[in-house]
Amino acid sequence: MIYLASPYSYKADVELMHLRYEQALAKTAELTLQGLAVFSPIVSSHQLSLAHEMPTTWDFWKTVDYKFLDASSELYVLMLDCWDKSAGVTAEIEYAKEIGLPITYII
């Protein structure tokens, strides 16, 4: 399974978070249509967070996301604006390195 990391809440208001969700959703669909098994934490949690007033911060989601990284065979990093400044994305990259996951940077 591919874990698709992408920025979400870094310096974002509700509109920008929704745009980033839409971008992650489109990339997840594109990769899935190529026959890849993809997990995007943003696609998985955006609506959940909105519907149930859950936090959108990395501090809240990191434990869950690390478990999905543990179950993944590769990390793809979707290089949206500010991807390299996102606390979540940079932590996911570091964790992937620690556990030996291959990392691919995509646009």
Side-chain angles (χ1 to χ4, degrees), residues 89-103:
V89 173
T90 55
E92 289 161 334
I93 291 168
E94 288 306 310
Y95 188 71
K97 288 176 182 177
E98 287 175 24
I99 63 174
L101 288 182
I103 302 170

Side-chain angles (χ1 to χ4, degrees), residues 32-43:
T32 301
L33 285 167
Q34 293 174 15
L36 301 172
V38 180
F39 171 76
S40 165
I42 303 310
V43 171

Side-chain angles (χ1 to χ4, degrees), residues 8 17 22 26 28 34 36 40 43-44 50 65 80 82 87-88 103:
Y8 181 61
M17 286 191 296
E22 291 288 340
T28 301
Q34 293 174 15
L36 301 172
S40 165
V43 171
S44 175
L50 291 176
D65 290 348
L80 302 176
C82 296
I103 302 170

Side-chain angles (χ1 to χ4, degrees), residues 25-89:
L25 183 67
K27 185 56 73 172
T28 301
E30 176 187 323
L31 295 170
T32 301
L33 285 167
Q34 293 174 15
L36 301 172
V38 180
F39 171 76
S40 165
I42 303 310
V43 171
S44 175
S45 63
H46 174 74
Q47 292 295 338
L48 182 67
S49 294
L50 291 176
H52 297 282
E53 299 180 12
M54 297 172 72
T56 59
T57 62
W58 170 245
D59 284 338
F60 179 79
W61 288 101
K62 67 182 172 185
T63 302
V64 172
D65 290 348
Y66 283 157
K67 289 178 183 178
F68 278 105
L69 275 165
D70 286 336
S72 298
S73 57
E74 189 169 357
L75 170 65
Y76 278 20
V77 178
L78 182 56
M79 297 187 307
L80 302 176
D81 188 40
C82 296
W83 71 269
D84 56 339
K85 295 174 181 68
S86 163
V89 173

